[in-house]
Amino acid sequence: MTSSLVQTTARDPSALTPRLRAILAIVLIADIVDLMDSTITNIAAPTIVHELGGGESLVKWLGASYALAMGVLLVVGGRLGDRFGKRRMFLVGIAGFGLASLLCGLAVDPAMLITARLLQGALGALLIPQGMGLLIANFSRAQFPRAASAFGPVMGGAAVLGPILAGFIIGANIDGLTWRPMFLINIVLCVAGLAAALRLLPKDEDLRPVSVDGLGAGLLGLSMLGLIYGLIDGSTSGWTAGPVVSLAGGAVFLVLFGIRQVKARSPLIEPSLLHNRGFTAGLLLGLGYFAAVNGFAYVISLFFQLGLGLSPELAALGLSPLMAGIIIASIFARPLIPKLGRGLVVGGLLITLLGAAGVLGTALAAGTSLSAWLTAPSVLVLGVGMGASFSSIFDVAIGDVAGQEAGSASGALSSVQQLAGAIGSAVVTTVYFAQAGHGTAVHALIVSVAVVAGIDDACLGLVWLLPAKAPAEEWQEAAAEG
């Protein structure tokens, strides 16, 4: 058996041994639980609010809290892996994520749940950055592309499965627990991943004396927390002194973060990157686009449940065209990036705009007769645009970044994607609830989608500042190693 395996590997250098397949599965489990937990609250929010209270504020914080902690700490998590060992940080991250999920499932009030979601995001930021480094350390140059090719289909499947699974878990009402098992199921996945990782992941070697800019991360965290808290509290409870001071404080901390990045010995974002026009444009474009489409995914789920009165299961099915579009486009778009480069980004943004226009036209024509099935074709188109954009925006944004800046650029863009999710879920849901309070749910959806379309249109103005092409494969490997 062993002899046959060695001969197979010798004939095909890219072949994966059973041990390597198991390591790949461990890394994928971590990414699956992260992706599912970033999307399940899109469906579960109305049910959770019905049980725990918290109103509009809790709806907005459910998605924002997880993405906020993840975005602020993602780069720090990668640096900690370099300093203390990727295996060690992976084990701490996956064990802690399971415990944080348990706290989510046991939450008795909104404050406990949001705290647990913040903890989930923080531990996810410790867990997720280690995966690619573990693959690079264990897979040969010939084997790595085969391992990396598994991420697209698996992550796409998890993106679809998350909301649908959440909907059916809530509908099943297992032992009267309604939404809680969708968090508790993570414990099974994390325990399985932890047991396999303890047995199969090699000991950490060749650790680097990497500096971790805790002060920079703290300033960024305070900035984002102040801005998002001010926005959510002000839009929910009124623009009193509290939210105004919070927004002002967030802006001050953001300026201090920028100053820190110039002066720190090991900044979270290399200052030279911010002088790179293409990278900076990609950063701003990604921030706007991911905020808009994440906000749309949240709002369309709220509309299905609060506006149309659909059950969580039917709302999840109503979201399936969006997820299907993302998967289809992601599969077909990724091989086109080297050929089309910036043109693929333009195509993705235009298709997104077409889908948003379709939703607007359908809603205006149908009025109060609007249904999930009437929106399905346009939502599918919007999903195709999202999938094409997800696959291309950041790949093209780093097209003319120097190799030594690869790690910092990749980490910064990943963090921005998470922070955009936090901002988008807060901003677009704020628009939706504000409009729903003055008119029908259909009117609130129309205004929210118009905001999404407006942001997408602004992104089209930035796309021409991006590099024309994505970087070479060697650069991408440097980014993963960094």
Side-chain angles (χ1 to χ4, degrees):
M1 178 88 172
T2 304
S3 174
S4 172
L5 183 61
V6 171
Q7 291 173 2
T8 300
T9 306
R11 287 195 303 269
D12 181 6
S14 69
L16 304 184
T17 65
R19 178 177 173 275
L20 290 179
R21 291 180 185 277
I23 290 175
L24 175 60
I26 293 168
V27 172
L28 287 172
I29 285 174
D31 281 358
I32 287 169
V33 295
D34 163 56
L35 187 58
M36 288 177 61
D37 272 66
S38 68
T39 58
I40 54 177
T41 54
N42 289 4
I43 288 294
T47 304
I48 294 173
V49 168
H50 178 73
E51 287 196 10
L52 295 185
E56 295 176 18
S57 180
L58 180 56
V59 171
K60 298 170 188 176
W61 273 113
L62 277 171
S65 55
Y66 182 90
L68 171 64
M70 173 76 80
V72 168
L73 297 174
L74 203 56
V75 174
V76 175
R79 300 274 173 88
L80 289 174
D82 292 334
R83 182 170 180 174
F84 298 108
K86 296 187 183 300
R87 179 183 187 271
R88 184 177 290 114
M89 291 300 99
F90 186 92
L91 294 175
V92 172
I94 198 166
F97 196 95
L99 289 173
S101 298
L102 175 62
L103 291 176
C104 287
L106 297 177
V108 295
D109 58 38
M112 181 177 176
L113 181 56
I114 295 306
T115 301
R117 287 287 283 171
L118 285 166
L119 188 59
Q120 262 193 323
L123 287 157
L126 189 63
L127 172 65
I128 299 305
Q130 318 312 330
M132 197 58 67
L134 288 168
L135 294 184
I136 291 171
N138 288 279
F139 289 69
S140 70
R141 192 181 184 89
Q143 292 168 329
F144 184 78
R146 178 172 287 191
S149 68
F151 279 81
V154 172
M155 294 300 97
V160 172
L161 182 62
I164 293 176
L165 182 63
F168 280 92
I169 284 176
I170 293 169
N173 195 20
I174 302 167
D175 288 333
L177 295 175
T178 60
W179 54 272
R180 297 177 188 274
M182 72 183 193
F183 289 113
L184 300 178
I185 196 173
N186 287 341
I187 300 170
V188 178
L189 294 172
C190 288
V191 167
L194 177 63
L198 283 167
R199 181 175 180 181
L200 294 170
L201 294 183
K203 300 293 183 182
D204 292 312
E205 297 177 358
D206 192 28
L207 301 182
R208 293 183 279 169
V210 176
S211 298
V212 179
D213 185 19
L215 178 57
L219 290 171
L220 178 61
L222 289 171
S223 169
M224 292 297 105
L225 184 62
L227 292 172
I228 292 174
Y229 175 84
L231 174 65
I232 290 176
D233 190 47
S235 63
T236 304
S237 305
W239 293 102
T240 58
V244 172
V245 169
S246 180
L247 286 171
V252 170
F253 281 118
L254 186 60
V255 171
L256 292 175
F257 170 73
I259 295 171
R260 174 65 183 175
Q261 294 314 286
V262 175
K263 296 185 175 181
R265 283 174 42 190
S266 182
L268 298 180
I269 304 176
E270 292 292 340
S272 59
L273 285 172
L274 300 179
H275 297 293
N276 182 314
R277 188 188 72 174
F279 176 80
T280 305
L283 207 65
L284 293 173
L285 193 158
L287 180 63
Y289 183 80
F290 285 106
V293 296
N294 273 284
F296 171 80
Y298 213 163
V299 158
I300 194 73
S301 173
L302 291 174
F303 172 73
F304 287 159
Q305 295 181 76
L306 302 179
L308 300 182
L310 298 183
S311 67
E313 305 101 299
L314 290 178
L317 291 177
L319 275 179
S320 59
L322 183 74
M323 302 305 177
I326 293 173
I327 292 178
I328 293 167
S330 298
I331 292 171
F332 286 99
R334 181 147 290 279
L336 297 175
I337 294 174
K339 287 183 179 181
L340 300 179
R342 184 171 59 198
L344 186 58
V345 181
V346 175
L349 295 177
L350 287 173
I351 295 171
T352 303
L353 195 58
L354 179 64
V359 174
L360 284 173
T362 303
L364 287 168
T368 55
S369 300
L370 187 65
S371 69
W373 310 117
L374 285 175
T375 64
S378 297
V379 168
L380 174 64
V381 172
L382 208 152
V384 170
M386 289 167 64
S389 300
F390 290 172
S391 301
S392 58
I393 288 176
F394 286 166
D395 287 68
V396 175
I398 54 181
D400 56 9
V401 169
Q404 67 269 21
E405 298 171 328
S408 180
S410 180
L413 291 170
S414 297
S415 293
V416 162
Q417 183 173 356
Q418 292 293 334
L419 291 172
I423 294 168
S425 62
V427 171
V428 184
T429 52
T430 292
V431 172
Y432 178 82
F433 282 123
Q435 294 302 314
H438 299 293
T440 65
V442 174
H443 170 74
L445 178 67
I446 289 170
V447 175
S448 301
V449 175
V451 169
V452 170
I455 297 172
D456 185 83
D457 194 40
C459 290
L460 279 166
L462 284 170
V463 75
W464 307 107
L465 300 176
L466 294 177
K469 297 290 183 182
E473 183 178 336
E474 290 78 9
W475 192 101
Q476 294 172 340
E477 292 174 2
E481 290 173 356

